[in-house]
Amino acid sequence: MQASDLAAIGLTIKLASLTTVLLLIIGTPIAWWLARSRSRLKSMVGAIVTLPLVLPPAVIGFYLLVLLGPQGPGGRLTQALGLGLLPFTFAGLVVASIIYSMPFVIQPLQQAFAAIGEQPMEAAATLRASPLDAFVTVALPLARPGFITAAVLGFAHTVGEFGVVLMIGGNIPGKTQVLSMAIYNHVEALEYASAHWLAGGMLCFSFLVLLVLYSRGWNR
């Protein structure tokens, strides 16, 4: 295994870990709102969250380039804040990964919160718990299996990204080249032995993730 392959593996783990943590922070209030809200906007927000499941990665990557580019509103904002442009940087990969993996985190959380029902929260209210206290002491512990599923799916999906990170990252060795792109580079160079090592590792990793989730009843 080449040094560039090890760098790609390390970058992929770093990207997947950071993306998963940020998605859990961002996705928890969104999932809670989707699980309990009766607002007319619920369907629209749910559709927006789920959109990355049906959109081709190239479409998401293209519009992210437009949005975060020098003439896009996101690019102008980051430049005004002194952050520079995000495309072809690790920060750009994080933003793209958050958007692309969002449904894989929010949907399990939403289902876990919805499964709690009203009774536990009403019981907490009768004990004079504030909404925040009830959420922290009642909802979060009861939704723990959903958090585990969301974290595993979000991490695994980010590890397997290709199209979005290629569009927004540009496949720069040591900077934005993740594992899936390292495999692509080996195949293009006809280095099938190296590609087999990396692809086989991803295959085993994906199988183990699904095996753990199915053994925990995720498919029910």
Side-chain angles (χ1 to χ4, degrees):
M1 191 174 294
Q2 302 174 11
S4 59
D5 295 333
L6 296 175
I9 292 173
L11 187 66
T12 302
I13 294 173
K14 178 182 176 182
L15 174 64
S17 300
L18 183 57
T19 298
T20 302
V21 171
L22 292 176
L23 271 175
L24 288 174
I25 295 172
I26 297 169
T28 297
I30 297 175
W32 178 252
W33 183 83
L34 287 172
R36 300 180 62 84
S37 175
R38 296 180 181 178
S39 170
R40 294 181 180 179
L41 296 176
K42 178 179 177 179
S43 297
M44 181 179 294
V45 174
I48 293 173
V49 168
T50 311
L51 199 58
L53 286 177
V54 296
L55 273 180
V59 173
I60 300 175
F62 169 71
Y63 280 112
L64 281 175
L65 281 176
V66 173
L67 177 66
L68 301 176
Q71 303 304 320
R76 291 177 180 176
L77 176 62
T78 56
Q79 290 182 93
L81 294 174
L83 302 176
L85 293 174
L86 296 185
F88 312 114
T89 67
F90 180 77
L93 289 185
V94 173
V95 172
S97 299
I98 288 174
I99 294 174
Y100 190 48
S101 296
M102 184 172 293
F104 291 87
V105 172
I106 291 182
Q107 287 189 347
L109 292 178
Q110 180 183 349
Q111 294 171 6
F113 287 141
I116 293 174
E118 296 291 339
Q119 291 185 349
M121 304 304 294
E122 291 174 352
T126 61
L127 296 174
R128 299 183 180 180
S130 67
L132 180 59
D133 289 336
F135 176 76
V136 173
T137 60
V138 177
L140 290 184
L142 290 176
R144 182 173 175 269
F147 276 91
I148 295 175
T149 300
V152 173
L153 285 179
F155 186 92
H157 187 254
T158 304
V159 167
E161 288 177 354
F162 179 76
V164 170
V165 293
L166 178 60
M167 291 284 287
I168 200 71
N171 195 13
I172 304 173
K175 187 176 181 182
T176 62
Q177 185 182 93
V178 294
L179 184 55
S180 57
M181 285 189 263
I183 295 173
Y184 177 77
N185 290 340
H186 284 308
V187 172
E188 273 202 324
L190 302 181
E191 299 170 350
Y192 293 129
S194 298
H196 273 305
W197 275 105
L198 298 178
M202 288 191 69
L203 177 63
C204 293
F205 170 74
S206 300
F207 175 76
L208 288 175
V209 167
L210 292 176
L211 181 62
V212 170
L213 291 178
Y214 271 74
S215 65
R216 295 179 62 86
W218 170 71
N219 60 319
R220 297 175 186 174

